[in-house]
């Protein structure tokens, strides 16, 4: 309970960012989806590299930080691979057939 009380501002900020992100993503027109997906893939790649670097800085006995870092790396890799898959499928829709 003390952890929540000490980090209440951060928890509120994360919840606020989630709502803002949902609103921004929900109002993106379909024509902008592919360029924004490419940008999201780049951002996820940077986040993934940052998570790996931070995991190397953490002592091996800090299991909570290593677990959160591992989850961040996994979700970043999942987002990047999914983004490339969806972007590739969308670009195939616009190619001309011979």
């Amino acid at each position: 309970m003390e952890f929540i009380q000490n980090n209440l501002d951060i928890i509120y900020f994360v919840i606020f960012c989630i709502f803002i992100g949902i609103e921004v993503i929900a109002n993106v027109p379909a024509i902008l989806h592919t360029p924004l997906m490419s940008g999201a893939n780049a951002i996820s790649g940077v986040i993934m590299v940052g998570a790996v670097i931070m995991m190397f800085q953490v002592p091996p006995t800090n299991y909570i930080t290593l677990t959160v870092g591992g989850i961040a790396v996994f979700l970043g890799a999942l987002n990047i691979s999914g983004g490339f898959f969806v972007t590739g499928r969308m670009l195939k829709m616009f190619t001309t057939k011979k």
Side-chain angles (χ1 to χ4, degrees):
M1 194 67 174
E2 182 179 328
F3 175 78
I4 293 175
Q5 290 298 326
N6 291 340
N7 297 311
L8 201 55
D9 291 340
I10 295 171
I11 293 170
Y12 287 147
F13 180 72
V14 169
I15 292 171
F16 177 70
C17 288
I18 289 170
F19 284 121
I20 294 294
I22 290 171
E23 280 298 313
V24 168
I25 291 171
N27 294 320
V28 170
I31 192 116
L32 292 177
H33 186 268
T34 303
L36 290 176
M37 184 65 76
S38 300
N41 284 340
I43 292 170
S44 291
V46 170
I47 290 170
M48 202 164 92
V49 168
V52 170
I53 291 171
M54 290 306 295
M55 286 176 65
F56 284 132
Q57 305 291 328
V58 175
T61 57
N62 194 344
Y63 299 117
I64 293 175
T65 306
L66 290 174
T67 302
V68 172
I71 291 170
V73 169
F74 173 74
L75 291 176
L78 189 67
N79 191 25
I80 290 169
S81 60
F84 280 121
F85 177 72
V86 169
T87 303
R89 282 186 64 193
M90 289 187 72
L91 291 176
K92 283 182 186 176
M93 291 175 20
F94 296 108
T95 58
T96 57
K97 296 181 181 179
K98 292 183 179 181

